Each structure stands twice: as C-alpha cells, then as structure tokens.
Amino acid sequence: MSSEVPIRSALAAKVNKKRKRPAEEAPKQSKTPARKSTGNATEGPKAKKQKDGKNKKDKNEQEDKPKAIRGEPLAKERRGGMDEAIGKMDGRLLADHFVQKAKRHNKELTAVELSDLSVPDSAFLDTSSFDSPRALEQLPVFMKAFSPKGANLSDSSEQKGTPHTLVVSPAGLRAADVVRALRTFSTKESPIGKLFAKHIKLEEAKQFLERARVGIGAGTPSRISDLIDSGSLKLDELKRIVIDGSYVDQKQRGIFDMKETHLPLLQLLTRSEFRDRYGAKDKKIEILVF
C-alpha cells in the first residue's frame, strides 16, 4: 500500500500540471493586441485607387478656380446666392474666365471659333473696387458708382427703343427681379425695358420697344439678341452692358456655369455691333460684371 501512494500522488501532480498549462498560455496570447489598419502603409490597392481618384478630383476643382490677383489665390466662395469671386476679378481675369468657361462648355469649338467668341480685355471696366456685397438690392448703387460723373441713369434717348444700359441675366425670372430692383431709375416716360421671354412674347417686346423710350433694358442673352436682329432694340446710344455675374441659383449655377446661358452670352457680347466699339474713342461700350 505504501508504494502505491507516491505513484498516485506523482500521477495526480502530472495531470494537474497539464491542466494548468493551457490556462497560463491564454493570458499570454491576449496580451498581444490585434493589429489595426492605419490606412497608410497597410492600405490595399482599392483604398489607394480611391485616394488617387480623390486627389485627381481635388486637382480638377483647383484648376477651375479663378486665377490669382496680385499673387493671391482666389477661392470660389458661393454663399447666399452669390459668387463672391467674380467681384474680385479685373478685366484681364474676366476675359480669361470667359474663355476658359467657353472651352469647358464647348469642347468641339475650333481655335478660330473660340477666338471669335473671345471678349477683349479692353471691353471690361474694372469694378473690383466695389466693396459692398453684390446682392440684388445693391445693383442700383453699383451702377451709379461706375457711371460717369453727373450721369443720370433715369434719362433716355428721344429715339424709341434706344437704351444706354443693358443688364443681362441668366434667366427670365431673375431678369424680372432685376427689373424690380431697378425701379429707382424708372419713370413714367422711360420705364425699365423687360427684354426676357418669361410671360412676354417676342412680338409684345418688339411692340413695346417701338412705342416706348427706354433708358435701361433688363433681359436674357437670347431675347436681347432676337430684339437686336429684329431692329426693335437699337444700339446707337448704348454705353454699358451690365452682366449679372455674381448671382447663382439654388443649384449654385451662375450665368457662366451653364452652356445654355454662357454661349448665348458670348454670342451677344461678340456681335460686330459691340466688338467694334470696345475700347473705341467714339460711342464706346463697356462691360461691367456685377
């Protein structure tokens, strides 16, 4: 009996040792934390491809921004229905902006066709000194600020349908708002001309111009061109073209951002009746971008 007790004790100790070993090894393994993906050196091909695509998109967006003025980059700041960058551009930058947008919207244009649609630097009056927000209620102040000293914007030519100022907007509804904003210049003898298609037929607009004196006309590029072609809208006394450039709609699009508005605008501004008078000494026409 005495010899069996040590044997059993040794066997029990050996079994207990084997049971303890897995329990001791488990905590050791749990001490090593799971390796997390940092997204840097360990990122896979798919993540890298997505990152490269994002960088390419960011680069394209950067190239679409207006060029620098006096060495400082401009960022497109579109807040509250306004593209604030437009007001910071001088004539040279505006001319380049027009061309770049034309290239983007009309990739099929040849170099000659693009040249024909280019507005010269000399056509633009620099309005970058205007410090107030280019909200619609500021449009009359803007027009007064950049009119010759002593000029009365309520005046009009004795010749019917002969404005001294045209205000060009991207859409009929916006042009109607512009007409309301310019009521301060409207008189009984010389109302603001409604030169847009919204609820106004072409024949009605032609009849209005043939019977009324008009100092300021507000409309859209296509309708203004149609009225010039018809002979109802006369350009003998025209001194300035104000482009409603800072306004953007609910989709953050302005007159330069849509092909259906930008191309008619360029076609209007580069008509021979205008082009020959940009920078001229006699009967000069200037473009102001609001």
Side-chain angles (χ1 to χ4, degrees):
M1 292 290 295
S2 60
S3 61
E4 292 179 359
V5 173
I7 294 173
R8 288 180 181 176
S9 300
L11 183 60
K14 190 174 182 180
V15 170
N16 288 337
K17 187 177 180 181
K18 287 184 177 180
R19 287 177 179 173
K20 288 181 180 180
R21 186 177 298 169
E24 291 174 353
E25 289 178 354
K28 289 182 180 179
Q29 293 176 355
S30 63
K31 288 181 181 178
T32 305
R35 190 171 185 178
K36 295 181 180 179
S37 175
T38 60
N40 295 327
T42 58
E43 65 182 0
K46 184 176 181 181
K48 186 176 180 181
K49 185 176 181 181
Q50 291 175 346
K51 186 176 180 181
D52 291 343
K54 184 178 183 299
N55 291 338
K56 187 175 182 180
K57 181 180 178 182
D58 292 343
K59 183 179 179 181
N60 291 336
E61 290 177 354
Q62 186 70 22
E63 289 175 351
D64 191 40
K65 292 179 180 179
K67 289 187 176 180
I69 294 178
R70 302 180 186 91
E72 298 180 2
L74 285 176
K76 265 189 179 177
E77 301 173 357
R78 291 187 165 181
R79 300 193 296 261
M82 287 184 293
D83 183 351
E84 297 178 6
I86 296 297
K88 300 174 184 178
M89 299 186 196
D90 58 17
R92 180 181 58 82
L93 286 171
L94 284 168
D96 183 67
H97 188 58
F98 277 42
V99 170
Q100 295 304 321
K101 287 293 184 178
K103 288 180 180 178
R104 181 176 292 274
H105 296 319
N106 308 278
K107 293 181 172 61
E108 72 281 0
L109 290 177
T110 65
V112 174
E113 291 171 329
L114 191 62
S115 176
D116 290 341
L117 290 173
S118 298
V119 183
D121 298 8
S122 59
F124 295 96
L125 179 65
D126 186 356
T127 63
S128 58
S129 61
F130 189 72
D131 295 330
S132 301
R134 303 200 176 202
L136 190 55
E137 59 268 20
Q138 293 293 327
L139 180 57
V141 179
F142 173 86
M143 291 172 60
K144 286 180 181 178
F146 295 102
S147 295
K149 189 175 181 180
N152 185 356
L153 295 176
S154 296
D155 287 345
S156 60
S157 172
E158 293 290 338
Q159 187 179 8
K160 304 295 191 296
T162 309
H164 53 70
T165 302
L166 290 174
V167 183
V168 188
S169 296
L173 285 175
R174 173 64 176 182
D177 291 339
V178 169
V179 170
R180 286 188 283 270
L182 295 177
R183 280 177 179 169
T184 184
F185 302 129
S186 180
T187 65
K188 187 177 180 180
E189 296 77 20
S190 178
I192 305 298
K194 299 178 181 179
L195 313 179
F196 49 88
K198 192 70 176 177
H199 307 309
I200 302 173
K201 295 180 180 178
L202 180 60
E203 286 302 317
E204 293 174 345
K206 289 163 64 175
Q207 291 172 12
F208 166 78
L209 291 171
E210 288 166 2
R211 69 172 185 267
R213 291 169 53 188
V214 178
I216 300 174
T220 53
S222 296
R223 174 54 63 90
I224 291 173
S225 289
D226 290 341
L227 291 169
I228 295 173
D229 290 338
S230 71
S232 303
L233 183 60
K234 302 174 181 63
L235 308 174
D236 300 340
E237 302 296 328
L238 189 66
K239 294 180 173 61
R240 66 191 65 83
I241 301 171
V242 181
I243 299 174
D244 191 7
S246 298
Y247 166 74
V248 292
D249 61 18
Q250 292 180 343
K251 295 182 179 180
Q252 298 296 289
R253 301 175 304 175
I255 195 168
F256 308 116
D257 299 317
M258 298 176 283
K259 181 178 180 178
E260 59 268 28
T261 57
H262 187 249
L263 183 58
L265 174 65
L266 289 181
Q267 291 171 335
L268 171 66
L269 296 178
T270 54
R271 293 179 66 104
S272 59
E273 300 97 319
F274 295 149
R275 187 184 286 276
D276 295 342
R277 293 166 62 182
Y278 293 142
K281 291 183 179 179
D282 297 327
K283 293 189 174 184
K284 181 180 180 179
I285 293 177
E286 294 179 311
I287 299 174
L288 294 73
V289 182
F290 176 62

